Amino acid sequence: MRRYGSDVVVSLLAEAGVEHVALNPGASFRGIHDSLVNGPDPRPAIVLCLHEEIAVAVAQGYAKASGRPMAALLHDVVGLQHAAMAIYNAWCDRVPVLLV
């Protein structure tokens, strides 16, 4: 059975209890995006965002409201820089957010 690394990452997220993943689609995590869309398990569900900072802020709000962490997929370098302030806000708020 052929299995991609991105399928393993999505399976680990599901096994860890992550129900939703906020992301801004793009090329730097195309494999994980493909595994989220085409995987056999509907979890974690995708929450599309227009900016990486919004993705982290959505994950922060979800964690505050539900008491469970949410994941945010960030692009390498620029996406992480775009999300820097939201990451800092989540840290100041002491809210768990899983950044991938």
Side-chain angles (χ1 to χ4, degrees):
M1 179 176 151
R2 186 174 182 171
R3 193 162 182 204
Y4 296 101
S6 57
D7 293 335
V8 174
V9 170
V10 171
S11 294
L12 289 172
L13 288 171
E15 288 176 23
V18 175
E19 296 180 4
H20 303 282
V21 174
L23 60 91
N24 178 13
S28 65
F29 53 78
R30 190 170 132 192
I32 295 176
H33 188 186
D34 187 51
S35 294
L36 284 167
V37 171
N38 298 316
D41 192 358
R43 297 283 183 216
I46 295 175
V47 178
L48 289 177
C49 299
L50 297 177
H51 197 278
E52 288 85 359
E53 187 172 12
I54 295 170
V56 175
V58 165
Q60 177 188 0
Y62 177 86
K64 285 186 78 158
S66 70
R68 295 184 312 272
M70 180 176 169
L73 292 178
L74 304 175
H75 296 286
D76 56 356
V77 185
V78 176
L80 182 60
Q81 289 174 340
H82 281 167
M85 195 65 214
I87 294 168
Y88 178 71
N89 287 339
W91 177 79
C92 287
D93 207 12
R94 303 294 190 254
V95 174
V97 175
L98 178 62
L99 304 174
V100 181

